[in-house]
Amino acid sequence: MKKTVSVFGSTGSVGRSTVALLTHHKERYKVEILTANQNVDLLAAHSIALKAKYAVIADETKLDSLRDALSGHETEAMAGRQALLDMASHSVDWVMMAIVGLAGLEPLFQAIPNGNVVAIANKEPLVSAGALLMSRAQRYGTTILPVDSEHNAIFQVFEKENKNAIEKIILTASGGPFRTWSAEQIACATPKQAVAHPNWSMGAKISVDSASMMNKGLEVIEAHHLFGMSADQIDVIIHPQSIIHSMVQYCDGSVLAQMGAPDMSTPIANALGYPDRLETCGQKLDIQTLSNLSFERPDFEKFPALRLSYDALRAQGNAPVILNAANEVAVESFLMSQIPFPAMMECVEEALSKNYTHCTSTLEDIVDLDQSVRTDTEVFIQKISSHFKKAG
Ligand code: NDP
């Protein structure tokens, strides 16, 4: 019997690796739903190749082109945010959440009650609404599988039954493209330089987050929710080769690490096959070619995103929502060359310094706060970007 699967964000970097695995293991899986935001051509190509039942494009204006691209094939075309949310409630055995940003929160929220397996790559919803999502998963008996390579690594070596013996989890970070740059060089970094990650091939947003180290900051908060560890029990270490994907340290002195090539196919295959092991169609690690695995402490001065993220996690309440929302807006503005690289963290600091009184107990509260922070951050960016234009 084939497992039924859906992929939300199938045209992105994680989505494409997931589609490649599903294609490689066609005999095991029946694809129900594939989704994208605007990329009609790739969504249609994937849907035809995998004989998906439904293809959903979030941008409503693209419905006709999606219908045209799928004409003569068995996939039904759908469009719009509501269609995306309706399809997220569709019950399948396994669903991959690989939309980027908080846009993935509501689809993820809808997907959880199906009581099956939800593989999560999309970290921003876990950062902003981790407590809500994890308690929802528990209530509906849904298995959450982490796909982010660090969290998938921890998942593989985290002995749940020995949780009390775990001293800490150690998230590895490549350090990104600016690890060896001076603060002065970083101040002049361009979007093109920021998205050129030395080890991983990823979407633009996460690539910029990796360059600023905000990605690692978001991952610290993500790890807190996924594994129930406090900020003091989560360490970050720079490991430029990206071979060890993370570690768990036990009270008996053992440190268990998961290793692999820097290729998302491995954590995705782990989540897709779970609890079995599935053959990857991606890169495999050739341990004999490794001559050097090095580690260094992260620089919290040069990369303030890490400090801001730990502070937000310790503050709890609405701070992680504010951090994430301001960062998303700031990254978009940096990618459009409206603000320089260091101004992204100025936006986050400014947002965190504001007195937002919103609570975050429901989905609506979180979406509402997220929206307010976005609006305020856009205003702040307008203010500072006119200053940069004048200075330029
Ligand atoms: P990409 O930008 O490559 O892809 C994002 C996907 O989401 C695309 O399918 C895109 O569609 C879709 N999308 C974008 N905006 C919307 C929206 N408003 N509504 C519906 N769909 C939307 O991102 P990545 O694959 O790099 O990352 C996805 C998530 O996984 C992120 O949260 C990231 O942090 C996380 N992650 C990524 C890793 C990686 O290696 N890339 C590693 C670990 C985690 P379209 O193509 O049409 O724009």
Side-chain angles (χ1 to χ4, degrees), residues 9 11-14 37-39 121-124 148 202-203 264:
T11 51
S13 164
V14 172
N37 191 31
Q38 295 193 307
N39 192 341
N122 185 197
K123 65 190 77 183
E124 295 86 353
D148 214 347
M202 309 182 285
M264 282 304 290

Side-chain angles (χ1 to χ4, degrees), residues 8-17 35-40 42-43 56-59 81 84 96-104 107 120-125 147-151 200-207 209 215 218-219 222 263-264 267-268:
F8 282 71
S10 68
T11 51
S13 164
V14 172
R16 288 193 304 271
S17 298
T35 84
N37 191 31
Q38 295 193 307
N39 192 341
V40 167
L42 191 55
L43 177 62
V56 187
I57 192 92
D59 181 342
R81 180 80 183 163
L84 186 77
M96 164 63 85
M97 286 295 169
I99 290 175
V100 62
L102 207 75
I120 306 181
N122 185 197
K123 65 190 77 183
E124 295 86 353
V147 173
D148 214 347
S149 59
E150 294 77 2
H151 304 76
W200 297 91
S201 161
M202 309 182 285
K205 196 263 175 182
I206 185 176
S207 298
D209 283 344
N215 183 47
L218 299 178
E219 286 178 8
E222 185 185 6
D263 183 334
M264 282 304 290
I268 298 169

Side-chain angles (χ1 to χ4, degrees), residues 170-176 179 212-213 216-217 220 234-240 295-307 310:
I170 305 162
L171 299 174
T172 54
S174 69
R179 177 176 64 90
S212 69
M213 296 285 292
K216 211 48 56 181
V220 168
I234 307 171
D235 276 2
V236 171
I237 187 115
I238 305 293
H239 167 49
F295 303 93
E296 51 194 72
R297 287 183 198 285
D299 186 337
F300 280 64
E301 287 297 310
K302 206 161 75 171
F303 298 104
L306 270 179
R307 173 179 52 80
Y310 270 106

Side-chain angles (χ1 to χ4, degrees), residues 114-375:
N114 296 318
N116 298 316
V117 178
V118 182
I120 306 181
N122 185 197
K123 65 190 77 183
E124 295 86 353
L126 280 170
V127 170
S128 294
L132 187 73
L133 293 168
M134 295 309 285
S135 71
R136 189 166 169 85
Q138 199 172 22
R139 189 164 83 186
Y140 287 98
T142 305
T143 303
I144 300 288
L145 296 177
V147 173
D148 214 347
S149 59
E150 294 77 2
H151 304 76
N152 181 265
I154 294 166
F155 181 74
Q156 293 192 45
V157 293
F158 190 101
E159 296 172 5
K160 263 198 206 150
E161 61 289 0
N162 276 326
K163 191 170 174 206
N164 289 339
I166 294 176
E167 285 181 343
K168 58 181 165 183
I169 57 183
I170 305 162
L171 299 174
T172 54
S174 69
F178 305 149
R179 177 176 64 90
T180 57
W181 289 30
S182 67
E184 292 70 30
Q185 286 173 302
I186 294 175
C188 304
T190 64
K192 195 169 165 211
Q193 290 167 324
V195 297
H197 196 280
N199 304 342
W200 297 91
S201 161
M202 309 182 285
K205 196 263 175 182
I206 185 176
S207 298
V208 174
D209 283 344
S210 297
S212 69
M213 296 285 292
M214 178 54 90
N215 183 47
K216 211 48 56 181
L218 299 178
E219 286 178 8
V220 168
I221 303 175
E222 185 185 6
H224 161 75
H225 291 296
L226 286 170
F227 303 105
M229 305 298 275
S230 69
D232 293 338
Q233 292 174 298
I234 307 171
D235 276 2
V236 171
I237 187 115
I238 305 293
H239 167 49
Q241 298 80 17
S242 299
I243 297 297
I244 292 180
H245 296 304
S246 278
M247 300 174 249
V248 175
Q249 181 169 317
Y250 290 85
C251 64
D252 64 2
S254 301
V255 178
L256 302 193
Q258 185 265 354
M259 299 166 79
D263 183 334
M264 282 304 290
S265 304
T266 296
I268 298 169
N270 180 265
L272 184 59
Y274 183 83
D276 300 329
R277 295 275 175 179
L278 194 68
E279 179 72 25
T280 179
C281 55
Q283 255 182 288
K284 280 189 188 167
L285 186 62
D286 179 358
I287 207 111
Q288 306 219 21
T289 61
L290 300 178
S291 57
N292 176 32
L293 295 182
S294 60
F295 303 93
E296 51 194 72
R297 287 183 198 285
D299 186 337
F300 280 64
E301 287 297 310
K302 206 161 75 171
F303 298 104
L306 270 179
R307 173 179 52 80
L308 293 169
S309 303
Y310 270 106
D311 287 352
L313 174 55
R314 290 199 170 96
Q316 284 290 343
N318 57 23
V321 183
I322 299 169
L323 173 102
N324 180 67
N327 182 61
E328 282 197 33
V329 175
V331 170
E332 224 174 286
S333 297
F334 169 70
L335 282 169
M336 291 191 294
S337 301
Q338 289 168 345
I339 54 170
F341 192 84
M344 288 191 290
M345 290 313 120
E346 282 174 39
C347 294
V348 175
E349 292 224 55
E350 164 72 14
L352 285 167
S353 72
K354 277 185 170 329
N355 185 25
Y356 291 103
T357 53
H358 305 59
C359 65
T360 51
S361 20
T362 66
L363 181 74
E364 292 71 28
D365 291 341
I366 292 166
V367 172
D368 189 31
L369 171 59
D370 175 81
Q371 203 45 59
S372 301
V373 177
R374 281 170 199 266
T375 308

